Amino acid sequence: FTLKFPPKVLADFLDSFRFVDHLATQSEVEVLEGYLASRFAGMGLSGILPSDELRIAAMRLSLMAQGFEREIVVAFLSLPAQDRMVLTDELSRTGCKEQFARVPSTASRSGPAFLIYYGPALVQTAKASEGYEALRVLASVFRASRELFPLTDAGIDSTRVIRITVMKDKRPADILTRRWHIKRTSTVDAEVALGDPSDQERVKDVASVNLPGSLRGTSTASKK
C-alpha cells in the first residue's frame, strides 16, 4: 500500500514515526505541535508569516497541500480578514483541554473542535491554481458548522466530525456555483449536503453554507 505513495509523501510519512517516541515524555498536543513546527520549518515557510498568531493554521494547511505548500500558505495570507480569522481560530482548537502553545489570542478556551473529514482532499483537488477558493469554501464550512455546534466552555475537550464527502472531488469553481447546507447526523457528527434543506429537516439540525460569489481572478495566489 505505502509503495503507491509519491516518494516525497512516503518519506514524510516515515519521518513522522520519530515523533511517536516523544509520547513517552510529552502530551499528544505537544507532540503534534512539535511535528507541525518541524514540517513547516523543513518546507522553508517559517519566515513568510507576518504574525505568530497565524502559525498553527498555516502549519496545518500546509500539510493539506501536498506539493504546493507555499502556494496554500500565500493563499491563506491573502484571504479576506473574516475568512482568515475563522481558519486561524478553528484550526487552532485541539479537542483537548490542553491547547497549543502557539494558540492565537483570538481563540477562546472553548469547543468543540472540528474535524473536517476530507478537508485535505478538497484542498488537493483544488491544487495551487484554486487554493485560495478552496480555503474560502473551507472557511464557509467551518462557519456553518459552528452554527450547529456553538462554542461552550464545557466543550473544550471534545470534537465534532463534519463530513464533506460530496465536495471532496469537486473543484472550488464547481462548488461555488451550487447551494449547500450542513445537516446534523448525530450529536457528534454532521455532513454537507447539496441543495437547500428539505421541509422535513428541523431548523436546529441544519445550517446553510453561505459561500462567497465567483472568486475567479480575485486571488493573488491563483495568478502565480
Side-chain angles (χ1 to χ4, degrees), residues 86 90 112-117 137-151 160-164 181-184 189-192 204 206-210:
V86 166
E90 297 295 359
F114 290 133
L115 169 62
I116 306 297
Y117 207 92
V137 171
L138 196 59
S140 298
V141 170
F142 270 120
R143 200 175 284 117
S145 301
R146 190 54 72 195
E147 289 186 38
L148 290 184
F149 301 103
L151 289 170
R160 300 293 181 266
V161 178
I162 312 298
R163 294 181 173 82
I164 60 169
H181 68 280
I182 294 181
K183 58 182 180 181
R184 193 195 309 266
D189 297 88
E191 65 181 8
V192 170
K204 70 175 184 178
V206 297
S208 296
V209 179
N210 296 315

Side-chain angles (χ1 to χ4, degrees), residues 51-196:
S51 168
D52 208 46
E53 298 266 292
L54 307 174
R55 189 166 298 274
I56 293 294
M59 290 192 298
R60 294 186 67 177
L61 290 171
S62 69
L63 291 188
M64 296 185 190
Q66 297 175 3
F68 53 99
E69 294 89 350
R70 177 173 290 272
E71 289 86 349
I72 206 67
V73 174
V74 170
F76 169 61
L77 297 177
S78 303
L79 289 173
Q82 65 271 26
D83 284 349
R84 190 169 60 251
M85 181 173 290
V86 166
L87 293 179
T88 297
D89 288 355
E90 297 295 359
L91 289 172
S92 72
R93 303 188 192 283
T94 64
C96 302
K97 288 185 178 179
E98 181 182 1
Q99 299 298 296
F100 291 121
R102 297 178 179 86
V103 63
S105 59
T106 54
S108 59
R109 287 186 56 82
S110 52
F114 290 133
L115 169 62
I116 306 297
Y117 207 92
Y118 289 124
L122 173 68
V123 172
Q124 289 160 27
T125 298
K127 299 184 172 59
S129 60
E130 290 187 80
Y132 175 90
E133 291 82 358
L135 295 187
R136 295 212 67 186
V137 171
L138 196 59
S140 298
V141 170
F142 270 120
R143 200 175 284 117
S145 301
R146 190 54 72 195
E147 289 186 38
L148 290 184
F149 301 103
L151 289 170
T152 66
D153 292 344
I156 189 171
D157 58 347
S158 62
T159 299
R160 300 293 181 266
V161 178
I162 312 298
R163 294 181 173 82
I164 60 169
T165 310
V166 293
M167 286 181 168
K168 70 182 180 73
D169 295 325
K170 292 180 172 59
R171 293 174 53 231
D174 298 328
I175 293 172
L176 291 166
T177 63
R178 307 185 187 194
R179 297 175 68 87
W180 307 85
H181 68 280
I182 294 181
K183 58 182 180 181
R184 193 195 309 266
T185 52
S186 77
T187 57
V188 295
D189 297 88
E191 65 181 8
V192 170
L194 181 62
D196 293 317

